[in-house]
Amino acid sequence: MLKSEFQKLAEEKILILDGATGSELQKKGMPSGVCPEQWILEHRSAMIEIQKNYVRAGSNIVYAPTFTANRIKLSEYGLEEEIREINLELVKIAKEAVGEDAFVAGDLTMTGEQLAPIGSMEFEALIEIYKEQIEILEEAGVDLLVIETMMSLQESRAALIAAKETCELPVMVTLTFQEDGKTLYGTDPATAMVVLQSLGADAVGLNCSTGPDQMVPLVEAMKAQANIPVIAKPNAGLPKRGEDGSTTYDMGVEEFVVHMKKLIEAGASIVGGCCGSSPEYIKELSQAAKEMPHPEISKQRKRVVASERQMLEIGLEDNFLIVGERINPTGKKKLQAQLREGDYEMVLDFAREQAECGAGILDVNVGMNGIDEKQTMLEVLEEVTFHENLPISIDSSSVEVVEAALRRYPGRALINSISLEKVKFENLLPIARKYGAMFILLPLSDKGLPESLEEKKDIIHTVMNRALELGFVKEDIVVDGLVATVGANPKAALETIETIRYCKEELELATICGLSNISFGLPDRAYVNAIFLSLAIQAGLTMAIANPSQELLVRSAFAADLLLNKEDSDIRYIEKTQFYKERAEQRAAEEQSRPQPEIKAKAPVKKAEEAASLVPKDLTAEESELYDGVMKGKKKQIVALSKAAVDAGSSPSKLLNEVLIPAINAVGKLFEQQKYFLPQLIMSAETMETSIAFLEPMMEKKEGEKEKATIVIATVQGDIHDIGKNLVALMLKNYGYRVIDLGKDVPKETIVETAIRENAKIIGLSALMTTTMQEMKHVAEYAKSQGCKAKIIIGGAVITQSYADEIQVEGYSKDAADAVKLVDRILEALDE
């Protein structure tokens, strides 16, 4: 199927996908714990019958059963060398089942390995893993690809890049979202849509996650940003355990269809079912969809940039935006020295400060001598995007550096910049298009600065027209007004302002400029810059590259918006005024309380004010640095910080109890508040673990001090997902518990026998899939039959408190931080 054919089909009718595969296979006798792909190949008729039933029910697209047939997943069963044969045969089964009556989608999902820096999987290695499977699926003759049940936007990007570089097939992408409306890694639906559609996905949406009743606001959020079809493939409600031990879902066919109709009304035009949805569900959904109007696919384009966890919409009439300029080594000797040493502390300080002062985008430039600019750019991007949520502007004169950064950046970037200079014009425009970036159009040519306003306009038109030919739209372009020095050219300000006016009013293009050039060589430059900025905003300037810490400049911009009666500008002006007042008061208080200039704690409070009440009092400078290191996940520096604190006189036990544990508590608090997400939680936990490993040999065990309890933890048999389980184990270890991690896909006998042998107080069980959660009850029943006295706690994406009550285990935890609290409560009760 060509992309154009898919687009035409999706515009003509509401497309019906298939329903559940795993639960239908279980009905056919597939046991838990086996390799699904291998079982299907040994029971071809079962799979053919399931898919024939979906086609009869009205499915237009059926997923080939290649969901976990990538090299990483197959290696769990020792089948990685059979990847080609397995995928070819599985697609053959699907094509035999559907014949000419439906399309077959090659199905891909997450590998289960975490990307660096959290895990060990490198981004390019992940792309190659997906490419291998995609090449086989294309060879097998699939009509399109679906990348589904994704929890990581960056892994979704890797799979989508692999698809674009391997074949011409249409690609659908669906992610799974938690109850808070975000993925496990903190991405919201609108941001996911912005990033993936700009990267070239042909349809984006949601699958699994919840029942259709809870998906409406998520679909609406995606639809608001979408210029492609939105997909909704929810579960049949919430899982529950049947009397015969099977997993069922609490939403019947009729109720499911009622809510699916609401999803179509919300904008979903490609619909189906996930866990628990049998052919009966799809049949009724198909019938209902025929009677509904097709959701219109919007042709209106928006100016949007995004990070992995936050999008920013840029309107021509919106409030003025600041692109923070400080992450740039030019003229900053200390920053240059740190970059040469691979130290990014100052970079992160600049990022934090600019975010706090109101920057909307962070410009990142690491161009200088003495470094590998490409490698440094990638490392800086990794650090900045890990710690801050603002979208990024990639700033480099090197085409190679920009391309590498765009490929790795887990969002939709702004490129600073593309000019009519031959190298950039010919090379960067196609690269920007490939990765779906917005770009700043700089009106320069190989001849240098334009000699007149007309020449500047000609360059703008030349670059813009070529971009439109390549598939860009005007909303992807931001024109740089190209500020010259008024001291040398008295008309410099007027010409820039005219460029801004022309671009906004006649070309409908967003505009940007750097401010400092205008006042070069003049006294009291800040006043010239502030007045020029106000005039430019009145002419229609969209954003400026500036230092958001410059109070006069920022206050002038907010005042200009206020006087121009922009939406909510009055509230923004008042809030910004209050911000500066509070910042001045805070600085004054810090000055008064600081006995010596050198004793200056780098306040973790500033990074995470929401957790201010958890910050320990009276820390030394070294202890504050160590605390801050855990809060910010400074894994590389944490041993040095720990040693510095010990060398300064702090005892290892004090550092553990009064610095490290309070720091991880603060991180847990931010995680609960959705201020931190899974990557930050993992990095902070691993940082703390590294510090403890350094300090532990120095700690003396006090006489009579009790050993911490032993906890056995495992992912149950049949389930090979362990991200959440690994984090729980890590957090419990950090709190001093003796943790025996048995890994994933662990039989109940191994779990219980280990708990008895090691005299464990707690057994922790994890499951991600509804098809394996029932194994938790088997573990609980077996533990009871063997006289195991360990208390059992459970957790995982599909697990609820009601399920814990149903199978009569001690408790349920929703995440790693909650698991620590639950264990503490249980053990305290046992000691009473």
Side-chain angles (χ1 to χ4, degrees):
M1 179 191 291
L2 298 175
K3 287 177 178 285
S4 58
E5 293 177 298
F6 175 82
Q7 292 165 358
K8 186 173 185 296
L9 186 64
E11 289 175 356
E12 291 175 348
K13 60 183 293 188
I14 297 171
L15 293 178
I16 308 298
L17 305 173
D18 58 14
T21 297
S23 52
E24 292 301 295
L25 287 171
Q26 286 187 332
K27 292 177 185 178
K28 297 291 186 182
M30 186 182 76
S32 61
V34 301
C35 174
E37 290 79 17
Q38 189 174 42
W39 191 90
I40 291 168
L41 293 176
E42 294 169 354
H43 302 81
R44 298 171 64 94
S45 60
M47 189 74 245
I48 289 173
E49 183 180 355
I50 291 169
Q51 296 195 317
K52 279 183 177 293
N53 287 337
Y54 281 127
V55 175
R56 294 188 190 104
S59 293
N60 306 119
I61 299 173
V62 171
Y63 291 6
T66 56
F67 181 64
T68 53
N70 61 65
R71 178 169 292 274
I72 298 294
K73 290 288 190 181
L74 290 176
S75 68
E76 299 284 345
Y77 305 97
L79 297 172
E80 63 271 26
E81 297 307 319
E82 299 177 40
I83 181 172
R84 184 173 182 275
E85 293 76 10
I86 288 174
N87 278 274
L88 290 175
E89 285 301 311
L90 291 173
V91 172
K92 186 176 180 180
I93 288 172
K95 292 176 74 69
E96 181 181 340
V98 308
E100 300 296 322
D101 299 322
F103 296 103
V104 172
D107 194 1
L108 303 99
T109 192
M110 294 183 72
T111 64
E113 297 289 330
Q114 294 185 77
L115 280 166
I118 300 171
S120 59
M121 176 66 72
E122 294 297 330
F123 189 68
E124 289 302 323
L126 182 60
I127 290 175
E128 291 304 314
I129 287 167
Y130 282 122
K131 280 185 175 181
E132 179 183 32
Q133 188 181 8
I134 292 168
E135 287 172 355
I136 300 168
L137 292 174
E138 183 184 29
E139 179 187 349
V142 297
D143 299 297
L144 69 161
L145 298 172
V146 59
I147 302 162
E148 65 156 330
T149 323
M150 304 299 284
M151 292 181 281
S152 162
L153 181 61
Q154 184 69 323
E155 188 157 355
S156 303
R157 288 185 71 254
L160 184 53
I161 289 171
K164 286 164 59 73
E165 292 181 347
T166 303
C167 66
E168 299 292 330
L169 295 172
V171 185
M172 304 190 299
V173 186
T174 57
L175 297 94
T176 182
F177 293 83
Q178 302 182 110
E179 289 184 5
D180 62 0
K182 296 179 180 178
T183 69
L184 188 63
Y185 288 79
T187 303
D188 63 89
T191 297
M193 174 58 77
V194 167
V195 173
L196 294 172
Q197 80 171 353
S198 68
L199 191 57
D202 297 284
V204 172
L206 314 87
N207 80 290
C208 203
S209 305
T210 65
D213 52 329
Q214 298 178 49
M215 271 193 182
V216 171
L218 307 184
V219 167
E220 289 175 339
M222 281 194 167
K223 184 63 176 175
Q225 299 298 328
N227 300 115
I228 56 177
V230 177
I231 306 167
K233 202 173 191 282
N235 295 336
L238 296 175
K240 62 180 182 179
R241 187 174 177 81
E243 294 181 2
D244 60 352
S246 62
T247 301
T248 58
Y249 288 79
D250 64 1
M251 189 173 285
V253 175
E254 185 175 340
E255 184 183 1
F256 178 82
V257 173
V258 167
H259 290 295
M260 288 302 298
K261 291 170 71 174
K262 293 179 181 178
L263 288 180
I264 294 172
E265 291 170 353
S269 58
I270 302 178
V271 293
C274 204
C275 302
S277 57
S278 65
E280 288 74 22
Y281 287 75
I282 302 305
K283 180 180 180 181
E284 295 303 317
L285 171 61
S286 176
Q287 291 298 319
K290 291 177 182 177
E291 302 171 3
M292 297 190 69
H294 186 286
E296 183 180 353
I297 298 173
S298 176
K299 302 299 182 183
Q300 181 182 358
R301 306 298 292 266
K302 296 181 178 180
R303 298 171 189 84
V304 191
V305 288
S307 67
E308 187 175 14
R309 299 184 293 273
Q310 181 176 305
M311 53 155 276
L312 175 67
E313 191 169 334
I314 305 166
L316 292 183
E317 304 300 333
D318 288 350
N319 286 290
F320 175 76
L321 287 170
I322 293 177
V323 179
E325 68 179 4
R326 300 204 68 196
I327 305 176
N328 187 324
T330 303
K332 302 183 181 80
K333 292 183 178 180
K334 186 176 179 181
L335 177 58
Q336 291 173 12
Q338 286 194 0
L339 290 176
R340 289 191 183 100
E341 295 169 2
D343 180 355
Y344 304 124
E345 183 62 28
M346 185 174 285
V347 167
L348 293 179
D349 285 344
F350 284 154
R352 281 191 295 271
E353 181 183 4
Q354 292 181 113
E356 288 170 359
C357 290
I361 300 170
L362 297 176
D363 189 78
V364 176
N365 183 322
V366 296
M368 55 175 278
N369 65 339
I371 63 170
D372 180 337
E373 186 185 353
K374 182 169 76 170
Q375 185 60 33
T376 302
M377 173 64 84
L378 294 178
E379 290 176 3
V380 166
L381 278 180
E382 187 176 87
E383 291 286 338
V384 172
T385 57
F386 186 84
H387 289 92
E388 298 296 332
N389 292 338
L390 293 183
I392 296 296
S393 167
I394 296 168
D395 188 355
S396 174
S397 59
S398 166
V399 172
E400 182 185 6
V401 171
V402 173
E403 181 174 18
L406 289 175
R407 187 173 180 86
R408 189 73 61 85
Y409 180 58
R412 188 189 191 205
L414 176 67
I415 299 173
N416 184 12
S417 56
I418 301 177
S419 64
L420 192 54
E421 295 163 292
K422 184 176 181 180
V423 171
K424 288 192 172 184
F425 180 66
E426 294 183 354
N427 297 310
L428 263 185
L429 276 174
I431 290 169
R433 180 67 185 134
K434 174 181 178 179
Y435 293 104
M438 289 181 64
F439 71 92
I440 295 173
L441 191 166
L442 183 65
L444 285 177
S445 69
D446 288 318
K447 294 188 295 183
L449 289 168
E451 295 182 358
S452 66
L453 183 59
E454 288 308 310
E455 184 181 348
K456 185 190 288 188
K457 291 180 180 180
D458 287 343
I459 294 173
I460 291 170
H461 279 275
T462 301
V463 178
M464 178 186 72
N465 290 338
R466 177 56 180 153
L468 297 179
E469 289 173 3
L470 290 172
F472 288 95
V473 293
K474 286 188 175 182
E475 288 76 13
D476 298 327
I477 304 170
V478 182
V479 176
D480 192 321
L482 197 59
V483 178
T485 301
V486 73
N489 175 9
K491 295 182 179 180
L494 295 175
E495 290 176 352
T496 300
I497 288 170
E498 169 56 20
T499 303
I500 292 166
R501 186 208 62 76
Y502 176 75
C503 288
K504 180 189 176 185
E505 296 181 6
E506 299 189 37
L507 300 182
E508 297 182 313
L509 295 175
T511 52
I512 191 170
C513 69
L515 295 172
S516 57
N517 255 5
I518 195 71
S519 61
F520 184 77
L522 296 176
D524 295 328
R525 295 179 63 187
Y527 295 98
V528 178
N529 293 346
I531 297 301
F532 171 68
L533 176 60
S534 299
L535 293 171
I537 290 173
Q538 195 278 333
L541 183 68
T542 313
M543 61 186 90
I545 302 172
N547 180 356
S549 299
Q550 293 177 345
E551 186 173 338
L552 175 61
L553 194 74
V554 176
R555 282 184 175 236
S556 298
F558 278 64
D561 281 346
L562 173 69
L563 296 175
L564 291 170
N565 193 31
K566 292 185 179 180
E567 187 175 357
D568 297 328
S569 58
D570 50 353
I571 302 299
R572 292 177 79 239
Y573 179 78
I574 293 168
E575 289 177 346
K576 182 57 66 174
T577 300
Q578 185 64 27
F579 166 79
Y580 283 118
K581 179 182 178 182
E582 291 175 356
R583 190 171 73 160
E585 291 172 350
Q586 180 184 3
R587 287 177 173 176
E590 287 175 355
E591 282 297 324
Q592 290 177 3
S593 64
R594 186 179 297 130
Q596 299 178 43
E598 65 270 22
I599 302 178
K600 180 182 177 183
K602 284 190 177 180
V605 189
K606 187 175 182 181
K607 163 66 180 169
E609 293 177 358
E610 300 85 352
S613 61
L614 298 176
V615 178
K617 306 299 182 183
D618 303 321
L619 294 183
T620 67
E622 292 79 11
E623 289 167 351
S624 291
E625 291 276 9
L626 181 59
Y627 181 98
D628 197 40
V630 174
M631 287 290 298
K632 297 172 184 173
K634 298 179 182 177
K635 190 175 178 180
K636 294 179 181 177
Q637 298 104 322
I638 202 67
V639 170
L641 294 175
S642 302
K643 184 177 185 301
V646 172
D647 291 345
S650 300
S651 70
S653 58
K654 180 189 178 185
L655 294 178
L656 174 63
N657 295 311
E658 299 181 25
V659 179
L660 297 180
I661 289 178
I664 205 69
N665 282 338
V667 170
K669 184 73 172 176
L670 292 176
F671 183 73
E672 290 175 0
Q673 296 172 349
Q674 295 297 302
K675 301 294 190 302
Y676 269 26
F677 298 95
L678 183 68
Q680 288 103 322
L681 184 61
I682 291 176
M683 189 61 79
S684 289
E686 289 181 346
T687 300
M688 180 175 172
E689 182 183 39
T690 302
S691 178
I692 291 174
F694 171 77
L695 295 171
E696 197 168 29
M698 303 180 225
M699 295 183 193
E700 294 183 7
K701 183 172 171 59
K702 296 177 182 178
E703 189 174 346
E705 184 179 351
K706 292 176 63 178
E707 290 278 358
K708 278 269 194 173
T710 296
I711 301 171
V712 170
I713 190 168
T715 301
V716 295
Q717 187 170 28
D719 202 315
I720 57 173
H721 299 86
D722 63 357
I723 293 175
K725 183 267 298 175
N726 290 346
L727 182 54
V728 170
L730 180 59
M731 291 285 283
L732 289 169
K733 286 178 184 177
N734 282 350
Y735 279 84
Y737 290 107
R738 177 175 176 249
V739 179
I740 300 174
D741 186 349
L742 298 177
K744 52 194 175 185
D745 192 17
V746 185
K748 62 181 184 294
E749 293 84 3
T750 302
I751 297 171
V752 174
E753 288 167 8
T754 303
I756 293 173
R757 183 179 65 252
E758 301 293 336
N759 193 29
K761 298 294 184 183
I762 304 281
I763 294 174
L765 303 177
S766 175
L768 183 69
M769 302 184 296
T770 56
T771 53
T772 57
M773 61 186 282
Q774 61 183 322
E775 186 63 23
M776 291 177 164
K777 182 175 183 181
H778 298 159
V779 175
E781 291 172 343
Y782 185 73
K784 186 175 181 180
S785 71
Q786 298 300 305
C788 179
K789 300 190 182 304
K791 302 296 183 181
I792 297 177
I793 62 173
I794 61 176
V798 296
I799 307 304
T800 62
Q801 182 61 54
S802 62
Y803 182 66
D805 296 338
E806 180 183 324
I807 66 174
Q808 298 179 8
V809 295
E810 193 69 21
Y812 151 77
S813 67
K814 65 180 184 294
D815 54 49
D818 190 47
V820 174
K821 296 177 183 177
L822 176 60
V823 167
D824 286 343
R825 288 197 301 269
I826 292 173
L827 294 177
E828 285 173 7
L830 290 175
D831 289 338
E832 291 177 356

